[in-house]
Short mmCIF file of all heavy atoms in Angstrom, two decimals:
data_model
loop_
_atom_site.label_atom_id
_atom_site.label_comp_id
_atom_site.label_asym_id
_atom_site.label_seq_id
_atom_site.Cartn_x
_atom_site.Cartn_y
_atom_site.Cartn_z
N THR A 450 -13.72 -33.93 -17.72
CA THR A 450 -14.45 -34.36 -16.50
C THR A 450 -15.63 -33.47 -16.32
O THR A 450 -16.80 -34.05 -16.13
CB THR A 450 -13.53 -34.42 -15.29
OG1 THR A 450 -12.45 -35.24 -15.52
CG2 THR A 450 -14.28 -34.77 -14.05
N VAL A 451 -15.48 -32.18 -16.29
CA VAL A 451 -16.62 -31.26 -16.04
C VAL A 451 -17.67 -31.55 -17.09
O VAL A 451 -18.86 -31.66 -16.75
CB VAL A 451 -16.16 -29.77 -16.04
CG1 VAL A 451 -17.35 -28.82 -16.12
CG2 VAL A 451 -15.31 -29.51 -14.87
N HIS A 452 -17.30 -31.68 -18.38
CA HIS A 452 -18.35 -31.80 -19.43
C HIS A 452 -18.94 -33.15 -19.59
O HIS A 452 -19.86 -33.31 -20.32
CB HIS A 452 -17.73 -31.27 -20.79
CG HIS A 452 -17.70 -29.78 -20.77
ND1 HIS A 452 -18.72 -29.00 -21.17
CD2 HIS A 452 -16.63 -28.98 -20.49
CE1 HIS A 452 -18.36 -27.70 -21.19
NE2 HIS A 452 -17.11 -27.65 -20.73
N SER A 453 -18.43 -34.18 -18.85
CA SER A 453 -19.04 -35.47 -18.94
C SER A 453 -19.59 -35.89 -17.54
O SER A 453 -20.76 -36.16 -17.44
CB SER A 453 -18.01 -36.49 -19.46
OG SER A 453 -16.85 -36.56 -18.64
N VAL A 454 -18.76 -35.97 -16.48
CA VAL A 454 -19.22 -36.49 -15.20
C VAL A 454 -20.19 -35.59 -14.63
O VAL A 454 -21.17 -35.93 -14.05
CB VAL A 454 -17.96 -36.65 -14.27
CG1 VAL A 454 -18.37 -37.06 -12.90
CG2 VAL A 454 -17.05 -37.70 -14.89
N ASN A 455 -20.05 -34.26 -14.72
CA ASN A 455 -20.96 -33.32 -14.07
C ASN A 455 -22.21 -33.01 -14.85
O ASN A 455 -23.08 -32.31 -14.35
CB ASN A 455 -20.18 -32.01 -13.74
CG ASN A 455 -19.09 -32.13 -12.75
OD1 ASN A 455 -17.91 -32.36 -13.18
ND2 ASN A 455 -19.39 -32.22 -11.52
N LEU A 456 -22.32 -33.64 -16.02
CA LEU A 456 -23.47 -33.46 -16.83
C LEU A 456 -24.82 -33.95 -16.16
O LEU A 456 -25.85 -33.37 -16.45
CB LEU A 456 -23.30 -34.16 -18.18
CG LEU A 456 -24.34 -33.92 -19.31
CD1 LEU A 456 -24.55 -32.45 -19.57
CD2 LEU A 456 -23.89 -34.68 -20.52
N LYS A 457 -24.60 -34.90 -15.30
CA LYS A 457 -25.78 -35.42 -14.61
C LYS A 457 -26.44 -34.40 -13.64
O LYS A 457 -27.61 -34.53 -13.24
CB LYS A 457 -25.53 -36.75 -13.92
CG LYS A 457 -24.58 -36.63 -12.73
CD LYS A 457 -24.39 -38.02 -12.12
CE LYS A 457 -23.40 -37.85 -10.88
NZ LYS A 457 -23.30 -39.00 -10.15
N ASP A 458 -25.64 -33.44 -13.20
CA ASP A 458 -26.11 -32.50 -12.12
C ASP A 458 -26.16 -31.02 -12.58
O ASP A 458 -26.74 -30.18 -11.83
CB ASP A 458 -25.18 -32.61 -10.92
CG ASP A 458 -25.21 -33.93 -10.25
OD1 ASP A 458 -26.33 -34.39 -9.95
OD2 ASP A 458 -24.15 -34.58 -10.09
N TYR A 459 -25.61 -30.74 -13.74
CA TYR A 459 -25.60 -29.37 -14.22
C TYR A 459 -26.00 -29.32 -15.69
O TYR A 459 -25.74 -30.24 -16.46
CB TYR A 459 -24.23 -28.79 -14.05
CG TYR A 459 -23.72 -28.62 -12.61
CD1 TYR A 459 -23.02 -29.61 -12.01
CD2 TYR A 459 -23.96 -27.43 -11.93
CE1 TYR A 459 -22.58 -29.52 -10.65
CE2 TYR A 459 -23.51 -27.27 -10.65
CZ TYR A 459 -22.85 -28.33 -10.04
OH TYR A 459 -22.38 -28.16 -8.73
N SER A 460 -26.61 -28.27 -16.09
CA SER A 460 -27.06 -28.11 -17.51
C SER A 460 -25.81 -27.77 -18.37
O SER A 460 -24.79 -27.46 -17.89
CB SER A 460 -28.03 -26.89 -17.59
OG SER A 460 -27.34 -25.66 -17.40
N GLN A 461 -26.04 -27.93 -19.65
CA GLN A 461 -24.92 -27.64 -20.60
C GLN A 461 -24.49 -26.20 -20.52
O GLN A 461 -23.23 -25.90 -20.58
CB GLN A 461 -25.24 -27.99 -22.05
CG GLN A 461 -24.15 -27.97 -23.00
CD GLN A 461 -23.02 -28.97 -22.64
OE1 GLN A 461 -23.29 -30.19 -22.50
NE2 GLN A 461 -21.77 -28.51 -22.50
N THR A 462 -25.37 -25.37 -20.25
CA THR A 462 -25.10 -23.90 -20.14
C THR A 462 -24.16 -23.71 -18.91
O THR A 462 -23.21 -22.97 -18.94
CB THR A 462 -26.35 -23.04 -20.00
OG1 THR A 462 -27.15 -23.25 -21.22
CG2 THR A 462 -26.08 -21.53 -19.84
N GLU A 463 -24.56 -24.35 -17.82
CA GLU A 463 -23.76 -24.25 -16.58
C GLU A 463 -22.35 -24.84 -16.77
O GLU A 463 -21.33 -24.26 -16.35
CB GLU A 463 -24.44 -24.97 -15.45
CG GLU A 463 -25.72 -24.23 -15.00
CD GLU A 463 -26.49 -25.12 -14.03
OE1 GLU A 463 -26.67 -26.31 -14.24
OE2 GLU A 463 -27.00 -24.49 -12.99
N LEU A 464 -22.24 -25.96 -17.48
CA LEU A 464 -20.98 -26.59 -17.74
C LEU A 464 -20.13 -25.71 -18.69
O LEU A 464 -18.87 -25.56 -18.39
CB LEU A 464 -21.17 -27.94 -18.39
CG LEU A 464 -21.88 -29.00 -17.58
CD1 LEU A 464 -22.09 -30.29 -18.33
CD2 LEU A 464 -21.19 -29.28 -16.24
N ASP A 465 -20.72 -25.11 -19.63
CA ASP A 465 -19.96 -24.19 -20.51
C ASP A 465 -19.48 -22.98 -19.79
O ASP A 465 -18.34 -22.45 -20.07
CB ASP A 465 -20.85 -23.78 -21.68
CG ASP A 465 -21.11 -24.93 -22.63
OD1 ASP A 465 -20.36 -25.92 -22.66
OD2 ASP A 465 -22.11 -24.84 -23.44
N ALA A 466 -20.18 -22.50 -18.73
CA ALA A 466 -19.73 -21.40 -17.95
C ALA A 466 -18.61 -21.82 -16.99
O ALA A 466 -17.64 -21.10 -16.75
CB ALA A 466 -20.87 -20.77 -17.20
#
Side-chain angles (χ1 to χ4, degrees):
T450 300
V451 168
H452 284 276
S453 59
V454 175
N455 297 96
L456 186 56
K457 67 180 182 169
D458 296 308
Y459 294 91
S460 70
Q461 189 61 55
T462 300
E463 290 170 318
L464 298 175
D465 290 340

